[in-house]
Amino acid sequence: MLESTQFILGEEVAAFERAFAFLLRDPEAVATNSGTSALHLALLAAGIGPGHEVITVPFTFVATVSAICYTGATPVFVDIEPDYFTIDASKIEAAITPRTRAIMPVHLYASRRYGSDSRHARSAHADVIADAAQAHGAEYHGRRCGSLAEIAGFSFYPGKNLGAYGEGAP
């Protein structure tokens, strides 16, 4: 890729998408220009827009909340578990309203205990859209982080734990 300088689309990106999907043990990965765009597009694909709410955490990079705001939806903050630095599942139910359309857990340091996010999302008829920007290859009970949500966004910004030459996110 460095020799051809074809950083956008092309066979190298397609090969990367296939390899990353294989790493996640997921059927598909799609590269975007950034992790922020990946989250924004995931929210749009889930039909989220003005008047909707997305439950997430305040302990995250600005891109998480920006992606929610770009859709016109409102972020609703739930505090983190101090031992895991991820969404406190015991507080999700209290944050659900009739306008809730998604729960967006953020995986900053590792995967978390799953189950509650999905259970709460199903009861609210909402999607789980994971901000897995820094969870490349992390696992929970043998399943890769990101593949546990309906959609997940990863980031390969050079400063992330799995950086790339330039910006990109499957």
Side-chain angles (χ1 to χ4, degrees):
M1 184 178 344
L2 293 176
E3 289 177 10
S4 73
T5 67
Q6 187 175 7
F7 302 112
I8 300 169
L9 302 176
E11 181 48 40
E12 293 291 334
V13 174
F16 173 78
E17 290 171 334
R18 290 188 299 272
F20 197 69
F22 181 78
L23 172 76
L24 295 177
R25 301 181 197 119
D26 213 78
E28 189 171 15
V30 177
T32 65
N33 67 313
S34 70
T36 307
S37 291
L39 295 174
H40 181 207
L41 292 171
L43 291 162
L44 291 175
I48 294 168
H52 298 150
E53 294 177 348
V54 178
I55 296 171
T56 193
V57 296
F59 187 70
T60 185
F61 182 65
V62 67
T64 311
V65 176
S66 294
I68 295 167
C69 292
Y70 293 157
T71 68
T74 302
V76 174
F77 294 113
V78 169
D79 206 357
I80 60 168
E81 294 178 335
D83 293 339
Y84 297 94
F85 299 100
T86 57
I87 195 165
D88 186 337
S90 70
K91 297 179 181 177
I92 293 173
E93 188 172 349
I96 293 173
T97 74
R99 294 178 302 280
T100 302
R101 293 297 179 271
I103 298 171
M104 186 177 282
V106 177
H107 312 293
L108 286 177
Y109 303 110
S111 60
R112 65 175 302 277
R113 294 175 292 170
Y114 278 92
S116 296
D117 297 347
S118 296
R119 188 169 51 255
H120 289 302
R122 279 192 304 276
S123 71
H125 304 289
D127 292 311
V128 176
I129 300 172
D131 180 342
Q134 299 189 137
H136 312 83
E139 288 189 9
Y140 178 74
H141 289 283
R143 291 197 56 201
R144 297 286 183 171
C145 189
S147 68
L148 298 158
E150 280 81 13
I151 306 174
F154 289 83
S155 177
F156 293 87
Y157 187 77
K160 298 290 187 201
N161 56 353
L162 185 59
Y165 288 108
E167 298 179 8

